[in-house]
C-alpha cells in the first residue's frame, strides 16, 4: 500500500491508491480547510507534492506555473503511489490563492508616455538691472526664459507680480519659477516664485470624483511617483445616492450645496495628505479630475438638469481649465484644474480616463472596456474605432442598496465560499479581521456560491425549505425584516456585534445591476454585428475591490462566458488615466482625441434593450446556452 508522508510534521500513513489527499490527510490527523465542502470550486485546500505521484492533478484554478511547482487541490487529487506532501501554513497558501488562475488582482496596464507635465519648475539666475540694462523684472524673466527655455510668451499672475520685486532682490536674483505651460506651445503662466533652487517634490493631484467615493492620488511631478492614495465618501450622498437624485436635488435649489459638499470632501482629503506628508497645501500646483458627466457639472456649478431629460444632452462635454481659487479648492490658488472631457450625458471624463488607462488607442484586438462603479459604462473597439454606452446599473456593487454592503476596505467580506454539504459559509475579509459588511467582489462570490450550492434558485429566491432541511435548527436562511435572508456571519463572529446577512432584496438589486451591464454589452455587440464570443480582450476598471473571481462573475452572468485568460482587471482606471494626464501632455492630447472619437449608443433609444434586460434578470441568464460553462457547472452540482 502506498506510503504518504506529510511535511513539515513528518507524519506517515498508508492509504490505498485512489484515496483523496484530503482523506489521507484526515487519516494522519491533519485538518485541511475545505471552504466549498471539497467540491474543487474554491481552490483553497492546497497542498504541494514534494515527491511521488498523484492522479487528478489538473484543475482550472491552478496555473501552469503552480502545477509545475507541485500545487494540487487536496479535495481533487488522489494518491497514485508513495508520496511526500507539504501542507504549508495558511499564509503561504493564501499567496498561492491570490495568484491562481481565474482570480485577478487589479494591475494597471503600463504605457510609456513621454514625461511632459504641464507644470514644471525652472531655476534661473538673472542679471540685476543697471542704468544701461533697465528692463523691468518681468522682461528680465521673459528674456531668460526665451533664451534658455524657448518660452516666448510669459503671463505673470497678479499675486506673483505683487511679490516679484522683493523675491528677486532678496534672493540675489536666483529663483525657482513654477510655470504652468498648459496653454499653447511656447507660452507659460508663472504661478509661483521662490528664492533659490527647487526643493522637495513638485506636488500635484490626480482626482477621481465618483458618485459614491472621492479618491485622490498625491503625485510628485518631478519623479512621477504617486506618493499616497486617500479616499472618502462623496459627501453629496447625503442628498441622494445616484446621479438622478442629485440632479433632482440640484433642480430644487441645491446646486450650490452639492458643489460645496464635493469641494469639502476634496479639501478634507488635501488636508489629510498635507498633515501626513508635512507640506503646505499651496505647494500643490495642479489637479487633473476624472468624473462622470453629472459629477463634473456639479463640481463646476453647472446645472445638470438636461442630463436627465430626453434627449439627455449635457451642457458641455469639454470643460474650461479653471484655477483652484475659482472652484474653492484648497491647493495653490493659481493651480490649474483640468477636467477630462466627457463623451455624452452618461459617459463622462472617468470613461475617457479609463480608455486611456486601458490603452485602447494602442490595440488592434477587439477589446471590451467595462467600468463597473456606481453605473456601468462600456466601450467596445480598438485603436481605429470605439463605441460606448452607459447601462444605468446602479451602485449595488459599491455597497449601496445592499443591507450590509460596504466599500472594499478593512473588514469587508471579499470572498464567500459555501460548502455544498453543510451549506455553511467560509468568509475571507480584507485585513483578515472579523467581518463588518460585504464589498462588490464578496457579493459576486456569495451570489455564485448560493446559486451553485442550491441556497437560491436561478431567479435569486432563497430555497428556504431545502436549506432548513440540510441545516436544521441552525439554518442560515431565515425570515428577516425584508423577506428571506441568508446569514453570512452570526453576531458573535462579526466585527460589529450584528448578524451580517444577504437578503432577497439585496440579491434582487445585484441581479438587476449585473443584468443591466450584460444587456448593455449584448445590445452594443448586436448593433455592431459581432458576437460577444468574438471579443479578444475584456478590460475591467471600477470599484470592485482587490480581487475578482472571473469564474464566479461569469456564473452570475455579469461577464460573458469567455476563456478566463481574456479578462484583465485594471483597478481604478479613472484615477490611473488622470495620473497619466498629470504626467504627460501627450496623454492629455490622446484623451481629448479619444473623447471626440467615441461613438455613443443611447441604450434607451434601442428597442431591444428592455428585452435583453429582462432576459438577463436570471442567474446567469434566461438563455443558459449563452453560458455553456455555467450550464455544465450547474448540471454537475445537481448530480451531487
Ligand atoms: Fe478543495 Fe474547495 S477546492 S475544498
Amino acid at each position: 500500500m502506498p506510503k504518504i508522508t506529510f511535511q513539515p510534521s513528518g507524519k506517515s500513513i498508508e492509504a490505498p491508491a485512489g484515496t483523496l489527499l484530503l482523506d489521507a490527510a484526515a487519516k494522519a490527523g491533519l485538518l485541511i480547510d475545505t471552504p466549498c465542502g471539497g467540491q474543487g470550486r474554491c481552490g483553497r485546500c492546497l497542498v504541494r507534492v514534494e515527491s511521488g505521484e498523484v492522479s487528478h492533478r489538473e484543475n482550472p484554478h491552478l496555473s501552469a506555473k503552480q502545477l509545475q511547482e507541485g500545487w494540487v487541490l487536496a479535495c481533487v487529487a488522489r494518491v497514485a503511489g508513495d508520496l511526500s506532501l507539504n501542507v504549508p501554513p495558511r499564509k503561504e497558501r493564501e499567496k498561492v490563492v491570490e495568484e491562481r488562475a481565474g482570480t485577478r488582482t487589479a494591475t494597471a496596464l503600463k504605457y510609456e508616455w513621454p514625461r511632459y507635465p504641464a507644470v514644471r519648475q525652472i531655476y534661473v539666475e538673472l542679471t540685476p538691472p543697471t542704468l544701461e540694462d533697465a528692463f523691468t523684472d518681468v522682461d528680465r524673466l521673459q528674456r531668460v526664459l526665451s533664451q534658455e527655455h524657448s518660452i516666448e510668451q510669459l503671463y505673470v499672475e497678479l499675486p506673483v507680480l505683487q511679490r516679484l520685486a522683493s523675491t528677486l532682490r532678496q534672493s540675489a536674483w536666483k529663483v525657482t519659477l513654477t510655470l504652468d505651460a498648459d496653454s499653447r506651445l511656447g507660452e507659460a503662466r508663472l504661478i509661483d516664485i521662490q528664492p533659490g533652487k527647487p526643493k522637495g517634490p513638485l506636488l500635484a493631484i490626480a482626482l477621481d470624483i465618483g458618485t459614491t467615493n472621492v479618491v485622490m492620488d498625491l503625485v510628485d511631478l518631478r519623479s512621477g511617483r504617486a506618493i499616497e492614495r486617500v479616499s472618502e465618501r462623496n459627501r453629496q450622498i447625503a442628498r441622494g445616492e445616484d446621479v438622478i437624485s442629485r440632479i433632482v436635488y440640484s433642480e430644487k435649489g441645491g446646486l450650490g450645496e452639492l458643489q460645496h459638499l464635493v469641494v469639502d470632501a476634496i479639501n478634507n482629503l488635501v488636508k489629510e495628505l498635507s498633515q501626513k506628508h508635512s507640506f503646505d497645501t499651496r505647494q500643490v500646483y495642479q489637479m487633473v479630475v476624472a468624473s462622470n458627466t453629472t459629477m463634473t457639472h456639479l463640481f463646476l456649478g453647472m446645472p445638470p438638469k438636461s442630463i436627465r431629460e430626453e434627449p439627455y444632452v449635457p451642457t458641455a462635454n469639454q470643460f474650461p481649465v479653471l484655477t483652484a481659487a475659482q472652484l474653492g479648492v484648497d491647493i495653490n490658488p493659481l493651480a490649474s484644474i483640468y477636467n477630462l472631457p466627457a463623451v455624452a450625458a452618461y459617459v463622462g471624463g472617468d470613461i475617457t480616463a479609463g480608455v486611456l488607462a486601458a490603452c485602447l488607442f494602442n490595440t488592434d484586438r477587439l477589446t471590451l472596456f467595462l467600468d463597473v462603479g456606481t453605473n456601468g459604462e462600456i466601450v467596445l473597439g480598438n485603436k481605429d474605432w470605439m463605441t460606448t454606452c452607459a447601462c444605468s446599473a446602479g451602485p449595488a456593487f459599491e455597497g449601496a442598496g445592499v443591507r450590509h454592503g460596504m466599500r472594499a476596505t478593512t473588514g469587508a467580506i471579499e470572498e464567500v465560499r459555501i460548502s455544498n454539504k453543510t451549506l455553511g459559509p467560509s468568509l475571507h475579509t480584507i485585513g483578515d479581521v472579523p467581518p463588518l459588511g460585504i464589498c462588490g467582489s464578496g457579493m459576486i462570490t456569495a451570489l455564485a456560491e448560493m446559486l451553485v450550492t442550491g441556497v437560491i434558485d436561478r431567479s435569486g429566491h432563497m430555497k428556504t425549505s431545502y436549506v432548513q432541511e440540510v441545516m436544521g435548527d441552525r439554518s442560515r436562511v431565515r425570515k428577516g425584516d425584508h423577506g428571506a435572508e441568508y446569514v453570512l456571519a452570526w453576531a458573535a463572529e462579526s466585527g460589529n456585534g450584528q448578524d451580517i446577512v444577504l437578503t432577497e432584496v439585496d440579491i434582487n438589486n445585484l441581479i438587476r445591476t449585473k443584468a443591466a451591464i450584460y444587456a448593455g454589452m449584448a445590445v452594443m455587440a448586436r448593433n455592431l454585428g459581432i458576437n460577444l464570443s468574438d471579443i479578444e480582450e475584456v478590460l475591467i476598471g471600477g470599484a470592485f475591490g482587490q480581487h475578482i473571481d472571473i469564474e464566479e462573475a461569469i456564473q452570475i452572468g455579469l461577464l460573458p462566458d469567455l476563456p478566463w485568460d481574456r479578462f484583465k482587471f485594471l483597478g481604478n482606471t479613472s484615477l490611473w488615466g488622470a495620473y497619466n494626464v498629470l504626467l504627460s501632455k501627450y496623454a492629455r492630447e490622446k484623451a481629448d482625441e479619444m473623447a471626440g472619437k467615441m461613438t455613443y449608443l443611447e441604450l434607451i433609444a434601442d428597442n431591444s434593450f428592455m428585452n435583453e434586460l429582462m432576459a438577463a434578470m436570471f442567474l446567469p441568464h434566461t438563455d443558459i446556452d449563452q453560458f455553456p460553462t455555467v450550464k455544465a457547472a450547474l448540471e454537475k452540482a445537481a448530480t451531487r
Side-chain angles (χ1 to χ4, degrees):
M1 209 182 293
K3 181 178 163 199
I4 301 123
T5 310
F6 291 91
Q7 304 296 356
S9 67
K11 250 187 185 167
S12 290
I13 54 133
E14 288 190 344
T19 306
L20 270 183
L21 300 192
L22 199 61
D23 296 338
K27 195 172 174 194
L30 292 168
L31 216 60
I32 296 174
D33 285 348
T34 55
C36 70
Q39 294 301 305
R41 288 198 323 272
C42 67
R44 287 194 176 265
C45 56
L46 287 158
V47 293
R48 202 175 61 238
V49 179
E50 290 189 334
S51 64
E53 262 316 303
V54 294
S55 61
H56 302 84
R57 192 181 273 268
E58 277 73 27
N59 186 281
H61 287 292
L62 296 168
S63 66
K65 180 173 164 271
Q66 289 168 337
L67 285 169
Q68 211 173 16
E69 288 168 354
W71 292 105
V72 294
L73 297 181
C75 73
V76 173
R78 292 174 184 274
V79 174
D82 287 350
L83 274 176
S84 174
L85 290 178
N86 191 317
V87 184
R90 185 164 173 222
K91 253 205 165 129
E92 199 180 323
R93 279 180 284 138
E94 290 293 327
K95 245 182 106 196
V96 180
V97 169
E98 278 179 20
E99 289 165 5
R100 73 190 176 196
T103 299
R104 295 286 184 273
T105 300
T107 39
L109 292 181
K110 293 266 184 275
Y111 182 82
E112 292 304 325
W113 291 104
R115 180 80 62 79
Y116 200 131
V119 172
R120 57 194 162 131
Q121 285 184 324
I122 295 176
Y123 172 70
V124 292
E125 296 186 3
L126 306 177
T127 47
T130 61
L131 284 176
E132 291 74 37
D133 178 14
F135 281 109
T136 67
D137 293 351
V138 170
D139 288 340
R140 310 186 89 69
L141 285 176
Q142 175 65 81
R143 191 167 61 189
V144 75
L145 288 174
S146 166
Q147 285 166 356
E148 295 174 16
H149 299 280
S150 307
I151 295 171
E152 304 302 339
Q153 191 67 61
L154 180 70
Y155 299 97
V156 186
E157 295 281 1
L158 183 60
V160 183
L161 267 184
Q162 288 166 337
R163 54 196 170 83
L164 183 62
S166 60
T167 310
L168 287 173
R169 284 159 184 81
Q170 282 162 16
S171 61
W173 300 87
K174 296 173 183 168
V175 288
T176 294
L177 308 174
T178 304
L179 295 161
D180 186 336
D182 182 50
S183 37
R184 271 176 295 167
L185 211 63
E187 295 180 359
R189 209 162 52 89
L190 181 58
I191 57 175
D192 203 2
I193 182 166
Q194 286 155 334
K197 293 197 168 169
K199 292 179 229 45
L202 175 54
L203 297 175
I205 281 172
L207 178 68
D208 165 34
I209 306 178
T211 311
T212 311
N213 299 309
V214 179
V215 192
M216 180 179 284
D217 269 353
L218 178 67
V219 179
D220 175 9
L221 294 178
R222 231 189 295 284
S223 65
R225 188 168 72 95
I227 299 169
E228 179 149 8
R229 176 167 300 182
V230 287
S231 67
E232 70 164 59
R233 267 317 212 212
N234 185 335
R235 296 179 183 195
Q236 293 172 344
I237 278 187
R239 301 291 174 259
E241 287 204 333
D242 53 31
V243 293
I244 298 299
S245 50
R246 289 193 213 160
I247 294 173
V248 171
Y249 189 78
S250 76
E251 288 167 22
K252 293 179 183 156
L255 178 60
E257 184 191 349
L258 289 172
Q259 188 190 23
H260 280 130
L261 285 171
V262 72
V263 170
D264 282 353
I266 294 167
N267 288 343
N268 194 46
L269 291 174
V270 173
K271 190 169 159 201
E272 183 186 332
L273 285 168
S274 76
Q275 285 170 347
K276 210 160 172 187
H277 295 275
S278 308
F279 63 84
D280 183 332
T281 56
R282 282 169 303 178
Q283 286 173 277
V284 178
Y285 292 110
Q286 201 193 13
M287 184 178 269
V288 171
V289 186
S291 53
N292 66 53
T293 314
T294 302
M295 289 305 111
T296 310
H297 276 57
L298 295 177
F299 179 45
L300 301 185
M302 291 155 49
K305 188 169 186 278
S306 55
I307 288 177
R308 80 175 182 103
E309 289 171 349
E310 213 177 313
Y312 316 109
V313 175
T315 303
N317 282 333
Q318 270 132 25
F319 311 98
V321 179
L322 299 161
T323 62
Q326 284 173 295
L327 290 170
V329 174
D330 188 14
I331 56 175
N332 188 296
L334 299 174
S336 63
I337 298 186
Y338 167 72
N339 287 272
L340 276 138
V343 179
Y346 294 100
V347 177
D350 51 348
I351 302 307
T352 305
V355 167
L356 187 74
C359 305
L360 248 71
F361 58 88
N362 196 39
T363 183
D364 289 319
R365 293 152 69 87
L366 178 60
T367 303
L368 179 88
F369 170 72
L370 168 65
D371 185 302
V372 183
T374 307
N375 239 320
E377 292 97 353
I378 297 166
V379 182
L380 189 57
N382 58 26
K383 67 178 167 46
D384 299 320
W385 60 272
M386 292 176 210
T387 302
T388 181
C389 72
C391 308
S392 63
F397 286 119
E398 287 197 315
V402 174
R403 177 117 163 255
H404 290 118
M406 66 180 281
R407 285 192 295 154
T409 53
T410 304
I413 299 167
E414 62 171 353
E415 187 178 332
V416 178
R417 298 291 164 188
I418 296 177
S419 163
N420 77 322
K421 290 182 186 136
T422 65
L423 301 186
S426 295
L427 308 177
H428 197 266
T429 59
I430 297 176
D432 231 351
V433 297
L436 297 169
I438 184 163
C439 67
S441 52
M443 294 174 205
I444 292 169
T445 58
L447 220 55
E449 289 285 297
M450 289 166 104
L451 175 70
V452 174
T453 55
V455 173
I456 55 174
D457 62 22
R458 286 186 51 211
S459 61
H461 290 112
M462 300 278 175
K463 288 157 83 174
T464 309
S465 41
Y466 168 65
V467 179
Q468 273 166 359
E469 198 181 298
V470 175
M471 300 192 96
D473 289 350
R474 290 291 279 170
S475 174
R476 287 191 178 248
V477 171
R478 66 184 184 195
K479 195 165 168 12
D481 299 343
H482 300 103
E485 60 190 28
Y486 178 87
V487 183
L488 291 164
W490 300 109
E493 305 155 347
S494 77
N496 53 13
Q498 286 176 22
D499 289 349
I500 295 175
V501 301
L502 206 57
T503 69
E504 271 188 358
V505 176
D506 297 340
I507 291 171
N508 200 268
N509 280 335
L510 292 168
I511 291 179
R512 215 168 263 286
T513 299
K514 74 94 192 168
I517 293 168
Y518 189 81
M521 288 185 230
V523 172
M524 184 181 270
R526 182 164 338 99
N527 268 276
L528 293 165
I530 58 167
N531 288 319
L532 287 175
S533 56
D534 297 334
I535 294 168
E536 294 168 276
E537 190 152 52
V538 182
L539 303 175
I540 302 174
F544 257 142
Q546 289 302 306
H547 312 286
I548 306 291
D549 190 309
I550 293 165
E551 182 182 24
E552 305 211 315
I554 293 171
Q555 277 174 349
I556 67 167
L558 168 65
L559 297 177
D561 200 348
L562 299 171
W564 296 351
D565 60 4
R566 294 195 199 171
F567 295 90
K568 275 199 185 80
F569 289 89
L570 307 182
N572 189 334
T573 44
S574 176
L575 202 57
W576 181 241
Y579 165 83
N580 280 326
V581 169
L582 263 185
L583 288 182
S584 175
K585 80 179 185 97
Y586 298 103
R588 175 164 162 184
E589 283 168 11
K590 187 54 81 179
D592 290 344
E593 179 196 321
M594 285 190 302
K597 190 168 151 181
M598 278 185 252
T599 309
Y600 179 63
L601 173 70
E602 181 56 79
L603 288 180
I604 295 174
D606 191 297
N607 295 334
S608 62
F609 180 68
M610 277 319 284
N611 293 341
E612 284 290 351
L613 183 67
M614 295 320 290
M617 288 288 289
F618 250 56
L619 295 169
H621 196 275
T622 46
D623 176 12
I624 200 161
D625 288 330
Q626 290 186 30
F627 291 83
T629 66
V630 188
K631 187 178 177 184
L634 290 177
E635 280 169 2
K636 191 171 160 200
T639 59
R640 283 188 197 123

